[in-house]
Amino acid sequence: MNNPQGSRLRHGDEPLCNHSPNPTFSSILEARLQRRQVLQGGIAAAVATFFGLPALNNASKSAKAASGSALLGFKAIPVSAEDKVVVPEGYTARPLLAWGIPITGTYPEFKLENTGAEQGMQVGSHHDGMHFFPIEGKDPWQGSSTEGLLVINHEYVEPRFMHAAAKGQQLNDEGYPVNPDGSRDPDQVLKELNAHGVSIVHIKREADGNWTVVRDRLNRRITGLTLMEIQGPVRGSDFVKTKFSPDGTMTRGTLNNCAHGVTPWNTYLTCEENWAGYFVNTSKGPDQKPNLPREHKRYGVSTETSRYGWELASNKADEFIRFNATPTAADATQDYRNEPNTFGWVVEIDPFDPSSRPKKRTALGRFAHEGVVFQPPVEGQPIVLYMGDDARFEYIYKYVSAEPYRKETAGGHLLDNGTLYVAKFNEDGTGEWIPLLFGQNGLTPENGFTSQADVLVNTRTAADFVGATKMDRPEWGAVDPKTRMVYFTLTNNSKREQDQVNAANPRPKNQWG
């Protein structure tokens, strides 16, 4: 039996939650282009001008040079619509760490009948961001290229492929088996939770060129159940106090892990993206309409059924019912109304210390994190990093540490004390970073903000208030290590209608960015 789908969005999307009147980047860019006039070179040259970049070279000439260039080092493959991996002559492609490969514990071999506990010893599902850490464990970029730790995010699951009980059922990509009474099998829920998170795997290239898994104490699974610390300004605040952690210092698990970041001190940052739909809050107001706090509503917490119905587990175990964020008790320390507030963060993991506890770095803000990109660190200067909120009409952020970077003492504490900024672009081609600090720029009690913890738990609302520029799903970012210029990919905006098309955004229902 399938779970109710209704109008539920597909993987990688969340409900449109930004209803603020803030201008969109497209409208600002359009106004800029109208004044400057696009005479030659098309929109690409105009965009380069907007950001103060050198004029682009002739595109057709560049494309022609690239296609025939010997610098590629291989014969280009032809365009193909075949559903298979195609590589150039002389190259091979092989699976390395597929879902279900055993990496730790008792190393249980993959089979459809694997239990939830066995999944917790195997590679998770639906890989996303990843990084190869050289085995020396001293630097995230320098060292062995043939042996190291591959750290992989697992963004989501498809229950229809995970359970023997799903055989023969007509389930879509978010459908899941349920019991006749509408409840869910607890071990299926456990298996799905354990397929989320992160895998840390010691791999080594053999003499024949194949890569193998090394059985090592460093191999580890971090899942939707792993104990984690809440760090930074939100730690201990009323926003994250729950029945599990009445003092607001701990939570369980990380979910919807999309892209990532790598710190200069050799740790891994995993980013929680479309996490809100994993929770449900059925609270109703006097008018019987949904009545959610802004820290739920502005992020898209479901008002009907959660994404996978984990709160429906028939054994009503605490680790499962926490996905029901509906208030059910006298205060937040006796239920899970605040559980969604413990998600939406960047999580730091030390891949070389299997005894270390992952830490949610709340100073970096709460939103649909895609990844974290660092400016190259400079001795004696603050750490600077950039992040995108990967949802339609959301924002680009920057974080600057309060303390300077010192290579000998650098660590995660640099991510707990600093300033989070949001980007505002202007029609004249300039822009500004607006600090999201309690007491500044109207983020005051008079305007509904009570503390820095409030500003960070409600990062999107704070960014709305200060007039940040709406973007079309800012996703992956990169920093040029020579020029230190920052680049962001805007993924798509499928909500753009025909009457919203303009010179900067010529495609309605733009699916591909």
Side-chain angles (χ1 to χ4, degrees), residues 13-18 20 22 272-276 294-301 344 365-369 388-395 397 420 422 436 443 449 454-468:
D13 275 336
E14 66 171 47
L16 181 59
C17 297
N18 190 350
S20 74
N22 293 357
E272 299 176 335
E273 191 190 11
N274 296 310
W275 47 271
R294 64 183 182 182
E295 52 266 24
H296 290 188
K297 184 176 181 180
R298 184 61 179 83
Y299 292 89
V301 169
R366 176 174 172 260
F367 43 87
H369 285 275
D389 187 347
D390 186 11
R392 293 163 299 192
F393 300 120
E394 295 298 344
Y395 307 123
Y397 297 88
L420 184 67
V422 68
L436 299 180
L443 301 177
F449 296 94
D454 191 352
V455 169
L456 292 168
V457 168
N458 293 290
T459 300
R460 284 180 172 177
T461 303
D464 294 342
F465 185 86
V466 301

Side-chain angles (χ1 to χ4, degrees), residues 159 163 175-179 181-189 192 308-315:
H163 309 301
Y176 48 75
V178 298
N179 298 324
D181 64 356
S183 66
R184 292 214 59 199
D185 179 87
D187 196 63
Q188 291 179 12
V189 174
E192 292 165 22
Y308 298 115
W310 291 339
E311 73 281 1
L312 303 176
S314 61
N315 66 351

Side-chain angles (χ1 to χ4, degrees), residues 429-503:
T430 64
E432 59 183 308
W433 290 106
I434 305 175
L436 299 180
L437 288 173
F438 176 63
Q440 296 186 21
N441 300 306
L443 301 177
T444 62
E446 292 78 9
N447 293 315
F449 296 94
T450 60
S451 63
Q452 186 61 21
D454 191 352
V455 169
L456 292 168
V457 168
N458 293 290
T459 300
R460 284 180 172 177
T461 303
D464 294 342
F465 185 86
V466 301
T469 302
K470 295 179 179 179
M471 311 296 288
D472 284 357
R473 286 191 63 184
E475 194 167 2
W476 281 92
V479 176
D480 186 321
K482 293 183 178 180
T483 67
R484 304 181 74 88
M485 295 198 68
V486 184
Y487 300 85
F488 266 91
T489 297
L490 304 182
T491 307
N492 62 46
N493 192 344
S494 58
K495 289 296 186 181
R496 189 177 303 285
E497 302 294 342
Q498 182 65 53
D499 60 359
Q500 295 175 306
V501 165
N502 53 50

Side-chain angles (χ1 to χ4, degrees), residues 99-100 109-125 154 156-166 177 184-197 221 223-225 255 308 310 313 319-320:
W99 165 53
E109 290 300 320
F110 172 78
K111 56 185 177 181
L112 188 60
E113 293 75 19
N114 283 134
T115 65
E118 288 172 330
Q119 172 65 84
M121 296 179 271
Q122 300 167 329
V123 171
S125 179
H154 305 297
Y156 63 97
V157 297
E158 292 188 56
R160 59 180 173 168
F161 299 137
M162 297 185 71
H163 309 301
R184 292 214 59 199
D185 179 87
D187 196 63
Q188 291 179 12
V189 174
L190 176 62
K191 191 174 184 180
E192 292 165 22
L193 271 161
N194 278 341
H196 280 75
R221 278 304 323 281
T223 75
L225 290 162
L255 298 171
Y308 298 115
W310 291 339
E319 62 265 33
F320 304 146

Side-chain angles (χ1 to χ4, degrees), residues 95-270:
L96 174 57
L97 291 170
W99 165 53
I101 294 290
I103 61 169
T104 189
T106 61
Y107 289 82
E109 290 300 320
F110 172 78
K111 56 185 177 181
L112 188 60
E113 293 75 19
N114 283 134
T115 65
E118 288 172 330
Q119 172 65 84
M121 296 179 271
Q122 300 167 329
V123 171
S125 179
H126 289 76
H127 306 358
D128 204 284
M130 65 182 72
H131 185 76
F132 176 84
F133 288 85
I135 195 63
E136 292 86 351
K138 297 179 180 179
D139 186 280
W141 308 104
Q142 302 295 324
S144 174
S145 60
T146 60
E147 185 174 3
L149 301 183
L150 188 61
V151 186
I152 311 171
N153 285 347
H154 305 297
E155 188 170 358
Y156 63 97
V157 297
E158 292 188 56
R160 59 180 173 168
F161 299 137
M162 297 185 71
H163 309 301
K167 285 183 178 179
Q169 295 193 36
Q170 297 300 311
L171 301 173
N172 64 17
D173 59 357
E174 288 191 338
Y176 48 75
V178 298
N179 298 324
D181 64 356
S183 66
R184 292 214 59 199
D185 179 87
D187 196 63
Q188 291 179 12
V189 174
L190 176 62
K191 191 174 184 180
E192 292 165 22
L193 271 161
N194 278 341
H196 280 75
V198 177
S199 291
I200 300 171
V201 192
H202 185 170
I203 60 172
K204 184 178 182 179
R205 193 175 71 189
E206 303 295 346
D208 61 2
N210 287 317
W211 290 82
T212 58
V213 174
V214 178
R215 294 197 174 194
D216 189 336
R217 69 178 187 85
L218 296 178
N219 292 351
R220 181 162 50 140
R221 278 304 323 281
I222 292 164
T223 75
L225 290 162
T226 301
L227 192 62
M228 302 193 171
E229 295 182 19
I230 299 172
Q231 294 286 2
V234 177
R235 179 180 174 88
S237 72
D238 287 344
F239 292 98
V240 289
K241 292 178 178 178
T242 65
K243 182 180 179 181
F244 176 75
S245 180
D247 63 354
T249 61
M250 307 294 291
T251 190
R252 287 168 288 188
T254 182
L255 298 171
N256 209 260
N257 302 82
C258 201
H260 68 294
V262 182
T263 70
W265 48 92
N266 208 44
T267 62
Y268 184 79
L269 302 179
T270 185

